[in-house]
């Protein structure tokens, strides 16, 4: 009889865990990595301690609102998984790594056992996540062990649901996939549009004009979200995750509570069982689709680009410009291949940045709101969305280092594409905002110029951090935690210093101009000139750092191991 | 001409290459032979500027890696054993990128010739990520040839190639050498090395064990073992006995040698 989980897979899970620990300790080998790991660990301990202290000393939130909010959060997490699946290419429901593909899939292990292995891996990862979340929610969980079990089951259910959905998505026809994509976007954008529309109506009403705009906006969004959640549709959508939420916040041992726990255990178990069935079904469907395509003769030659891509290939040899041109062109071709994902990543922040246009404000306030939104999204989102620089070339550092291109030009070439795309996005948002509002053109152009400098700073900084602590995309583990802590702290410090410097320089500009007896316009000019000079200096320093780091980078030693 | 003088490289506490010196004159083909982990790839990667060299000097046509790295890189082409290509670029785009970076004027004809020679014409618009192992190797070789290097470094270049491509590659290597290119080939295919290489360099545990002509190598080792077969392969296996004894004395016998190794690691780390 076939074992559901053979010993060899059990052993593999264990040795992989050991390997991850070993790799983390390996991070302490070189002096540079040792220092970074040490700083990251210390900062991590500080952050975690702070969080623990915050948890222990905080008051418990109101029970009913926690039940409702957690149901909303879990449902949004489900939506996020759906959205991720419908936009991802290629479909990889089980997310096998290359090593797993070559070793495990070729080993005498049945597909059922492989699914068991993958589901166990997911459950183990989720166990750690649930443990962390349950500790953060410690004061809010009336019975911690039940709360933890509820959380664990809830998160495992979402993971199993994701795999099920991905398997279904892989098995259906391409036409149905497009229907799924469309439906997912309608389901996502519909409520957002309704909430925004109703929020803007509230915000434009005379009675609320005296509140600060950010507080008013946040408050109004919460009120409108609550209204939607309380509606019949909202209750229906939340009903599945509401059971998990009720289990998490169970107040006392009761028959009803135990029955609910049993219910969610069964739901989770059923979703796990469904994964096995769907895995079998999707493999069968893939075979059928392939043989159908072969019969129809609709398959093209292996790896042939689409017509649109082929036309890209007809572009003449890119301009060299000290090697920078070719390097930047190569990243632009990459951006072209990810144009859909990029459009979505940039489209949503663009819509959010335009929201202040619907408010009845004066041109300066509208411009500040739009630019503020752009700065916020550019600082938070764009660096992760536009990974078209050193960060995606971890496996090609050999090629980059052997090119006859001076490192400074190579670095500029690598940074050019994300900066160009970010600038294009910001210019587009500002252009639309200026056309459809009373924003003054000269001010919009000046803001655009300053934003270019801002983009340069952001992407150079991101790449500097990357070279200090290189990583692979989709990497997991302790070193990722340390890097995240470092990045988060570093960005926070940079943001605080930048805001302080701006305020200081703004005050100083006014003082200088007034002491000279000049008009207020000169203060603006002085402020902008100083700002650009400051940005230029910092950018130059960052660029020098980036160049030196790349020169010293040793791909044999500094590249992280494959996942 | 390629010159490597006193090159040493350490990874942590492991000395990968120790005080290596050799030269490959223009028009010569050097076969770099050694066991796995002998330091062959490290030497080639350091020469092409990929990894920082611990100690030593690299020169190509009189240009030093430390003083004129761009001039050296412009003249050097390195084909890795497992070429890392840009997954977004098609075969043709790779060649265009190479032409642009290396400043090749009007490369269209040369691109067409190379694609035909290595039978990549039909894959011209295919993404590099969809190519088979052998085709990726062919593309990497095309990229290297396109830049018309005077120093050609090939690390296991035959891996994954079909018989036709192997023949083409061997012919083209010989032709390039005849045109004045200095070539280094690292390979375990001793018959191929014997076929086309004029010089042999044996590396073991990062140390140079033999450097000389193909004939010298065969004379020294094959005859010493009274081996009837006068091939490079036979000579190589005969040489293993001697090299093995050397290695054993390095590791176990002489403490002086071990001290020398640790001194070298210290000096490299300091640099």
């Amino acid at each position: 009889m076939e074992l559901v989980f053979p010993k060899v897979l059990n052993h593999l899970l264990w040795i992989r865990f050991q390997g991850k620990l070993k790799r983390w300790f390996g991070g302490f080998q070189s002096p540079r990595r040792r220092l970074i790991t040490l700083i990251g660990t210390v900062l991590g301990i500080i952050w975690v301690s702070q969080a623990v202290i915050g948890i222990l000393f905080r008051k418990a939130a109101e029970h009913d609102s926690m039940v409702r909010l957690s149901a909303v959060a879990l449902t949004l997490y489900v939506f996020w998984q759906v959205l991720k699946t419908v936009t991802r290419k290629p479909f990889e429901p089980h997310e096998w790594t290359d090593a797993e593909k070559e070793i495990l899939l070729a080993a005498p292990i049945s597909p059922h056992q492989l699914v068991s292995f993958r589901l166990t891996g997911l459950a183990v990862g989720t166990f750690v996540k649930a443990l962390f979340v349950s500790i953060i929610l410690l004061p809010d969980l009336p019975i911690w062990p039940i709360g933890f079990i509820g959380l664990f089951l809830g998160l495992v259910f979402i993971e199993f649901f994701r795999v099920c959905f991905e398997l279904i998505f892989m098995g259906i026809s391409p036409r149905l996939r497009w229907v799924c994509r469309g439906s997912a976007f309608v389901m996502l954008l519909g409520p957002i549009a309704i909430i925004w529309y109703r929020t803007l109506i509230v915000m434009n009403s005379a009675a609320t004009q005296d509140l600060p705009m950010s507080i008013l906006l946040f408050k109004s969004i919460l009120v409108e979200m609550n209204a939607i959640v309380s509606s019949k549709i909202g209750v229906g959508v939340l009903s599945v995750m509401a059971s998990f939420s009720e289990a998490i916040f169970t107040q006392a041992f009761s028959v009803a509570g135990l029955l609910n726990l049993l219910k969610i255990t069964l739901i989770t178990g059923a979703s796990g069982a469904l994964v096995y069935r769907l895995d079998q079904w999707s493999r069968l469907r893939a075979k059928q689709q392939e043989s159908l395509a072969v019969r129809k003769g609709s398959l093209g030659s292996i790896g042939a680009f689409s017509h649109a891509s082929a036309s890209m290939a007809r572009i003449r040899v890119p301009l060299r410009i000290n090697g920078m041109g070719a390097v930047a062109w190569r990243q632009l071709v990459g951006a072209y291949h990810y144009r859909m994902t990029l459009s979505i990543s940039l489209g949503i922040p663009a819509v959010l940045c335009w929201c202040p246009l619907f408010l009845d404000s004066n041109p300066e306030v509208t411009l500040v709101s739009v630019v503020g939104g752009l700065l916020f999204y550019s600082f938070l989102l764009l660096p992760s969305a536009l990974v078209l620089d050193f960060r995606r070339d971890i496996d090609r550092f050999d090629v980059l280092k052997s090119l006859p291109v001076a490192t400074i030009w190579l670095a500029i070439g690598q940074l050019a594409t994300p900066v160009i795309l970010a600038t294009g996005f910001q210019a587009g948002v500002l252009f639309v905002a200026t056309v459809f509002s009373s924003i003054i053109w000269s001010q919009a152009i000046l803001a655009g110029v300053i934003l270019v400098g801002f983009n340069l700073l952001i992407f150079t900084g991101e790449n500097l951090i990357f070279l200090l602590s290189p990583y692979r995309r989709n990497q997991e583990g302790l070193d990722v935690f340390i890097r995240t802590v470092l990045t988060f702290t570093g960005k926070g410090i940079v943001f605080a210093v930048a805001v302080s410097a701006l305020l200081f320089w703004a005050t100083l500009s006014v003082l200088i101009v007034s002491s000279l007896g000049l008009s207020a316009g000169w203060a603006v000019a002085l402020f902008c000139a100083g700002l650009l000079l400051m940005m230029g200096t910092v950018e130059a320093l960052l660029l020098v750092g980036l160049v030196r780091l790349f020169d010293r980078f040793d791909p044999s030693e500094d590249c992280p191991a494959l996942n | 001409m390629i010159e490597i003088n006193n090159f040493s490289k350490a990874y942590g506490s492991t000395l990968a290459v120790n005080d290596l010196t050799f030269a490959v004159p223009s028009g010569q083909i050097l076969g770099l032979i050694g066991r796995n982990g002998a330091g062959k790839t490290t030497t080639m990667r350091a020469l092409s500027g990929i990894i920082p060299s611990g100690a030593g000097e690299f020169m190509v046509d009189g240009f030093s890696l430390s003083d004129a790295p761009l001039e050296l890189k412009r003249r050097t082409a390195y084909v890795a054993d497992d070429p890392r290509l840009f997954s977004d670029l098609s075969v043709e785009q790779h060649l265009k990128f190479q032409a642009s970076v290396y400043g090749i004027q009007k490369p269209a004809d040369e691109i067409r010739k190379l694609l035909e020679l290595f039978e990549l014409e039909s894959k011209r618009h295919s993404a590099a990520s969809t190519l088979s192992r052998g085709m990726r190797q062919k593309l990497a070789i095309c990229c290297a040839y396109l830049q018309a290097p005077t120093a050609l470094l090939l690390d296991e270049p035959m891996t994954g190639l079909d018989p036709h491509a192997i023949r083409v590659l061997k012919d083209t290597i010989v032709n390039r050498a005849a045109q004045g290119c200095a070539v280094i080939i690292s390979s375990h295919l001793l018959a191929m090395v014997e076929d086309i290489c004029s010089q042999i360099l044996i590396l073991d545990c990062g140390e140079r064990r033999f450097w000389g002509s193909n004939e010298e190598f065969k004379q020294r080792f094959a005859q010493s073992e009274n081996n009837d077969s006068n091939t490079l392969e036979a000579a190589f296996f005969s040489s293993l006995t001697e090299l093995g004894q050397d290695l054993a004395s390095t590791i176990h016998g002489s403490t002086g040698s071990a001290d020398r190794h640790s001194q070298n690691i210290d000096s490299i780390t300091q640099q």
Side-chain angles (χ1 to χ4, degrees):
Chain A
M1 197 185 124
E2 184 187 278
L3 285 168
V4 175
F5 207 86
K7 262 187 181 174
V8 64
L9 292 178
N10 199 1
H11 186 60
L12 180 64
L13 276 172
W14 173 239
I15 54 174
R16 284 178 78 173
F17 172 71
Q18 286 178 312
K20 278 187 180 177
L21 273 183
K22 208 173 165 186
R23 199 191 292 176
W24 182 65
F25 281 116
F28 285 96
Q29 272 173 358
S30 74
R32 183 165 60 84
R33 296 291 297 276
R34 198 180 301 145
L35 182 72
I36 291 164
T37 314
L38 200 70
I39 295 170
T41 311
V42 170
L43 283 172
I45 291 167
I46 293 170
W47 281 106
V48 172
S49 314
Q50 216 175 11
V52 170
I53 291 167
I55 291 161
L56 293 177
F57 287 97
R58 94 177 151 82
K59 269 186 176 177
E62 206 233 321
H63 178 261
D64 287 349
S65 57
M66 279 309 282
V67 172
R68 179 180 280 195
L69 277 175
S70 69
V72 173
L74 289 171
T75 309
L76 285 176
Y77 192 34
V78 172
F79 269 114
W80 167 242
Q81 300 293 355
V82 170
L83 204 67
K84 233 168 61 170
T85 305
V86 297
T87 51
R88 185 188 293 175
K89 259 195 245 176
F91 317 117
E92 270 280 7
H94 294 303
E95 294 175 336
W96 299 112
T97 62
D98 287 343
E100 282 170 339
K101 266 182 209 162
E102 282 175 21
I103 300 168
L104 280 187
L105 302 191
I109 301 168
S110 73
H112 254 64
Q113 290 172 330
L114 286 172
V115 172
S116 302
F117 173 71
R118 176 50 80 228
L119 294 187
T120 310
L122 284 175
V124 169
T126 310
F127 183 88
V128 180
K129 274 186 212 167
L131 195 69
F132 271 112
V133 178
S134 69
I135 290 170
I136 291 168
L137 291 174
L138 207 57
D140 311 304
L141 299 176
I143 306 169
W144 186 83
I146 296 183
F148 167 70
I149 293 169
L151 249 171
F152 173 65
L153 289 174
L155 293 176
V156 167
F157 168 72
I158 293 173
E159 286 293 341
F160 288 178
F161 170 83
R162 174 185 64 79
V163 179
C164 286
F165 185 73
E166 289 189 0
L167 287 167
I168 295 170
F169 198 67
M170 195 172 82
I172 58 178
S173 66
R175 192 175 292 174
L176 258 175
R177 275 188 209 134
W178 279 108
V179 174
C180 274
R181 282 191 191 108
S183 313
F185 282 111
V186 169
M187 275 160 71
L188 177 83
L189 295 175
I192 290 176
I194 293 168
I195 290 168
W196 270 106
Y197 175 71
R198 287 169 59 160
T199 303
L200 294 173
I201 289 173
V202 173
M203 287 187 70
N204 275 324
S205 68
T208 53
Q209 286 294 318
D210 49 344
L211 276 168
M213 203 170 78
S214 54
I215 294 170
L216 188 61
L217 193 71
F218 187 62
K219 212 173 156 185
S220 309
I221 289 170
L222 285 183
V223 169
E224 294 311 319
M225 269 179 75
N226 196 33
I228 287 192
V229 166
S230 308
S231 70
K232 275 184 183 171
I233 299 172
V235 171
V237 171
L238 295 182
S239 60
V240 178
M241 297 322 291
S243 304
F244 288 94
S245 189
E246 276 161 22
I248 295 165
F249 297 100
T250 302
Q251 283 179 303
F253 289 106
S254 64
V255 177
L258 284 174
L259 281 175
N260 189 42
L261 206 59
L262 186 68
K263 182 180 151 189
I264 60 167
T265 310
L266 286 174
I267 292 174
T268 311
S271 63
L274 194 62
V275 173
Y276 288 93
R277 307 285 291 179
L278 286 171
D279 182 68
Q280 208 176 1
W281 173 80
S282 70
R283 274 186 284 114
L284 193 73
R285 282 286 299 161
K287 262 187 197 171
Q288 285 171 347
Q289 282 176 8
E290 206 175 304
S291 53
L292 189 73
V294 171
R295 276 203 301 277
K296 281 184 179 172
S298 59
L299 293 175
S301 66
I302 298 164
F305 269 179
S306 65
H307 179 70
S309 302
S311 68
M312 278 288 291
R314 280 196 291 272
I315 293 174
R316 278 179 286 173
V317 174
L319 292 173
R320 189 170 188 275
I321 324 172
N322 293 321
M324 178 194 85
V327 175
W329 168 81
R330 204 268 300 174
Q331 295 285 15
L332 273 173
V333 174
Y336 178 79
H337 288 295
Y338 292 106
R339 57 194 180 281
M340 266 304 285
T341 316
L342 283 175
S343 307
I344 295 165
S345 309
L346 300 179
I348 296 169
V351 172
L352 293 174
C353 286
W354 286 322
C355 287
L357 301 181
F358 297 98
L359 299 174
D360 190 15
S361 319
N362 68 49
E364 274 83 16
V365 172
T366 310
L367 179 68
V368 168
S369 306
V370 172
V371 173
L374 280 175
L375 285 173
F376 178 74
Y377 293 117
S378 303
F379 195 67
L380 272 184
L381 290 180
L382 291 194
S384 335
L386 301 171
V387 195
L388 296 154
D389 40 39
F390 283 115
R391 290 172 292 163
R392 73 195 281 258
D393 282 334
I394 189 77
D395 289 323
R396 300 175 195 99
F397 271 41
D398 278 18
V399 180
L400 295 177
K401 284 191 83 94
S402 67
L403 296 176
V405 179
T407 315
I408 181 76
W409 291 112
L410 184 80
I412 294 171
Q414 286 283 70
L415 294 172
T417 298
V419 171
I420 288 169
L421 291 177
T423 306
F425 155 75
Q426 290 156 348
V429 170
L430 275 175
F431 178 78
V432 171
T434 313
V435 168
F436 291 100
S437 74
S438 48
I439 292 174
I440 299 157
W441 278 100
S442 59
Q443 288 181 348
I445 291 167
L446 187 64
V449 171
I450 290 170
L451 280 169
V452 177
F454 183 71
N455 294 334
L456 279 166
L457 287 177
I458 285 177
F459 287 101
T460 316
E462 280 288 333
N463 280 275
L464 195 77
I465 293 168
F466 173 75
L467 287 186
L468 276 170
S469 175
Y471 58 91
R472 284 177 195 284
R473 291 164 82 185
N474 304 323
Q475 201 179 319
E476 288 177 351
L478 275 170
D479 44 347
V480 179
F481 170 70
I482 289 170
R483 195 188 59 247
T484 311
V485 166
L486 270 176
T487 314
F488 186 71
T489 314
K491 280 184 174 180
I493 293 168
V494 167
F495 196 74
V497 170
V499 170
S500 311
L502 274 181
L503 286 173
F504 174 74
W505 177 239
T507 316
L508 200 65
S509 304
V510 173
L511 284 173
I512 291 169
V513 168
S514 61
S515 69
L516 292 171
L518 297 166
S519 66
W522 283 101
V524 176
L526 184 64
F527 172 77
C528 290
L531 181 64
L532 288 172
L533 189 71
M534 258 195 295
M535 285 167 99
T537 311
V538 176
E539 172 61 23
L541 289 172
L542 287 177
L543 206 56
V544 168
L546 188 68
V547 166
R548 291 187 68 148
L549 271 177
F550 185 76
D551 278 336
R552 288 177 186 179
F553 196 93
D554 185 344
S556 312
E557 291 192 284
D558 297 330
C559 280
L562 287 164
N563 287 330
Chain B
M1 175 157 180
I2 301 168
E3 288 167 86
I4 295 182
N5 296 313
N6 309 108
F7 166 54
S8 298
K9 172 77 184 172
Y11 294 117
S13 57
T14 310
L15 190 60
V17 180
N18 187 23
D19 201 22
L20 180 66
T21 297
F22 68 92
V24 187
S26 300
Q28 295 283 311
I29 306 173
L30 175 98
L32 198 52
I33 305 172
R35 290 185 258 211
N36 297 124
K40 305 183 297 290
T41 302
T42 299
T43 305
M44 290 212 255
R45 277 156 65 90
L47 173 58
S48 49
I50 294 169
I51 54 172
S53 56
E57 196 182 25
F58 298 93
M59 307 267 275
V60 169
D61 293 347
F63 292 103
S64 153
L65 183 63
S66 49
D67 299 333
L70 298 189
E71 289 303 322
L72 181 141
K73 286 178 180 180
R74 196 164 286 141
R75 287 161 174 78
T76 310
Y78 169 59
V79 179
D81 56 339
D82 184 12
R84 299 287 183 179
L85 302 170
F86 297 113
S87 51
D88 300 319
L89 299 190
S90 67
V91 168
E92 192 182 86
Q93 284 173 329
H94 262 94
L95 293 163
K96 284 177 174 177
F97 172 77
Q98 202 77 2
S100 172
V101 167
Y102 284 85
I104 314 291
Q105 299 298 317
K106 298 185 179 172
D109 282 347
E110 188 60 23
I111 288 176
R112 191 177 43 76
K113 270 187 216 163
L114 286 168
L115 290 176
E116 274 174 20
L117 191 63
F118 284 94
E119 296 181 320
L120 281 173
E121 262 292 301
S122 61
K123 297 286 172 190
R124 198 178 179 126
H125 301 304
S126 297
S129 55
T130 63
L131 298 178
S132 69
R133 174 73 181 80
M135 284 183 186
R136 282 193 287 131
Q137 189 74 20
K138 285 180 184 179
L139 177 55
I141 295 165
C142 288
C143 286
Y145 280 179
L146 183 67
Q147 68 187 70
T150 52
L152 183 59
L153 314 178
L154 304 163
D155 194 355
E156 292 294 348
M158 309 293 179
T159 314
L161 294 184
D162 55 52
H164 172 259
I166 289 177
R167 179 175 285 183
V168 169
L169 180 62
K170 279 163 74 173
D171 291 347
T172 49
I173 290 170
V174 173
N175 286 343
R176 298 247 158 194
Q179 287 163 20
C181 183
V183 185
I184 299 179
I185 305 174
S186 160
S187 181
H188 298 297
L189 303 174
L190 300 179
M192 184 273 290
V193 171
E194 186 178 13
D195 255 11
I196 62 171
C197 295
S198 47
Q199 287 188 54
I200 301 291
L201 177 72
I202 308 271
L203 269 183
D204 198 49
C205 290
E207 302 253 6
R208 194 184 82 189
R209 299 290 174 183
F210 176 86
W211 175 37
S213 74
N214 196 338
E215 289 310 314
E216 275 172 355
F217 183 74
K218 281 194 280 189
Q219 271 172 16
R220 182 174 157 188
F221 292 103
Q223 286 176 6
S224 69
E225 292 291 315
N226 297 322
N227 204 321
D228 294 338
S229 171
N230 189 26
T231 61
L232 183 76
E233 190 174 335
F236 178 75
F237 283 107
S238 300
S239 77
L240 282 180
T241 322
E242 192 177 315
L243 295 180
Q245 280 163 2
D246 265 13
L247 183 65
S249 66
T250 305
I251 296 168
H252 306 294
S254 158
T255 47
S257 178
D259 288 347
R260 190 160 49 86
H261 269 245
S262 68
Q263 276 170 10
N264 275 341
I265 293 172
D266 289 345
S267 67
I268 294 162
T269 316
Q270 278 163 15
Q271 282 175 50

